[in-house]
């Protein structure tokens, strides 16, 4: 008997402090990364060098993101959170038939159907923030959960 998972969902509570303009847009990322092998020294993978899916900042605006083998797809959120002090529930849904769906407070914000990593089941949930120069911003993760649906 073989079982295939049709849909996987990730949800996590997140609150930020500081200024949204303090995030380094090139490096800050919230989501799943496929990391093969140990991370050590100066060869730490970044959002743009490994398979990823999640949320990131572009011009200080939160966006949806997917990267497979170095080719990325991005999408604006319908309504992106703009105040860091607020608590939000973020969600990512990977559906084998319909691609990726991104949620904020359980409201669908974006859909991506291309450049979805194949091995994301081996991924790690990552909250990575790099601040611009002397600015300070912090992400405070809360409750997280993962579940599957529609096993076939």
């Amino acid at each position: 008997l073989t079982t295939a998972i049709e849909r996987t969902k990730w949800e996590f509570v997140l609150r930020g402090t500081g200024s949204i303009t303090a995030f380094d847009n090139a490096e800050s990322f919230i989501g799943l990364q496929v990391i093969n092998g140990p991370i050590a020294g100066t060869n730490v993978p970044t959002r743009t060098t490994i398979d990823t899916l999640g949320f990131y900042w572009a011009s200080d605006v939160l966006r949806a993101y997917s990267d497979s083998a170095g080719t990325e797809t991005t999408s604006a959120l319908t309504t992106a959170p703009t105040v860091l002090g607020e608590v939000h529930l973020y969600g990512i849904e990977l559906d084998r038939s319909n691609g990726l769906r991104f949620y904020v407070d359980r409201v669908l914000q974006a859909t991506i159907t291309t450049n979805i990593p194949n091995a994301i089941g081996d991924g790690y949930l990552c909250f990575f923030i790099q601040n611009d120069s002397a600015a300070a911003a912090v992400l405070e993760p809360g409750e997280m959960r993962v579940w599957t649906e529609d096993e076939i």
Side-chain angles (χ1 to χ4, degrees), residues 46-70:
T46 65
R47 176 180 61 82
T48 57
T49 61
I50 59 176
D51 288 354
T52 57
L53 59 90
F55 298 92
Y56 81 109
W57 280 265
S59 302
D60 300 321
V61 175
L62 195 62
R63 298 176 59 86
Y65 174 85
S66 180
D67 182 303
S68 180

Side-chain angles (χ1 to χ4, degrees), residues 85-112:
E86 297 176 348
V87 175
H88 293 284
L89 177 66
Y90 294 87
I92 302 168
E93 178 180 313
L94 174 58
D95 185 309
R96 293 167 58 88
S97 302
N98 299 306
L100 293 166
R101 294 185 191 102
F102 297 84
Y103 298 86
V104 177
D105 299 324
R106 295 201 171 122
V107 175
L108 180 63
Q109 297 292 327
T111 302
I112 292 178

Side-chain angles (χ1 to χ4, degrees), residues 17 26 29-30 33 37 40 46 54 79 101-102 122 131 133-134 144:
T17 60
F29 174 81
I30 309 164
Q33 295 185 324
T46 65
T79 307
R101 294 185 191 102
F102 297 84
D122 297 327
N131 290 318
S133 62
M144 299 173 217

Side-chain angles (χ1 to χ4, degrees), residues 15-29:
R15 176 179 168 282
T17 60
S19 169
I20 202 163
T21 59
F23 290 129
D24 181 320
N25 288 300
E27 300 297 338
S28 299
F29 174 81

